[in-house]
Amino acid sequence: MDIEFSSAEELYKRLKPALKSKVSELARDGYDYLTTDDVWNYLKEKKWINSVNLELSEMVSDIFSSDNALIDAYFKDKLNIKKRRVYFKD
């Protein structure tokens, strides 16, 4: 049975329980400032960027197997980019 999603938002909603579980794991490991959006964006921009036709089960597996330190590093890098943009803004 193939499940197709008409938008990234629909897919995000479907994956939200797994994302919430990952955020709970992150919080237990001391990364209590990371959110489901942070995990989602990390996976979209780092893990799934060149992927096609991923199965829902593969995506859930990727969520749970993602390295917490890499998610944190991605988040901090994005935060630093935002800070630099504000700092150097005209």
Side-chain angles (χ1 to χ4, degrees):
M1 179 176 142
D2 289 339
I3 301 173
E4 293 190 22
F5 299 95
S6 59
S7 68
E9 182 180 347
E10 187 180 336
L11 177 59
Y12 177 86
K13 287 179 181 177
R14 185 65 175 248
L15 291 170
K16 190 119 186 206
L19 292 166
K20 284 182 176 180
S21 181
K22 182 64 173 182
V23 168
S24 294
E25 175 191 319
L26 286 160
R28 281 191 306 275
D29 288 348
Y31 304 104
D32 57 346
Y33 45 86
L34 294 170
T35 67
T36 55
D37 285 343
D38 297 326
V39 176
W40 170 254
N41 289 326
Y42 165 77
L43 290 164
K44 279 193 328 180
E45 294 179 22
K46 296 294 183 180
K47 180 76 174 170
W48 301 328
I49 188 78
N50 295 317
S51 298
V52 291
N53 298 323
L54 284 171
E55 297 286 332
L56 195 59
S57 60
E58 292 174 292
M59 297 178 89
V60 169
S61 178
D62 288 342
I63 290 167
F64 290 127
S65 65
S66 293
D67 185 288
N68 293 349
L70 291 177
I71 297 169
D72 181 54
Y74 165 83
F75 170 77
K76 288 178 178 172
D77 185 51
K78 287 290 188 181
L79 190 61
N80 285 333
I81 289 170
K82 286 180 185 176
K83 285 180 182 177
R84 280 185 253 142
R85 285 184 183 150
V86 170
Y87 181 76
F88 291 111
K89 195 173 185 179
D90 294 331

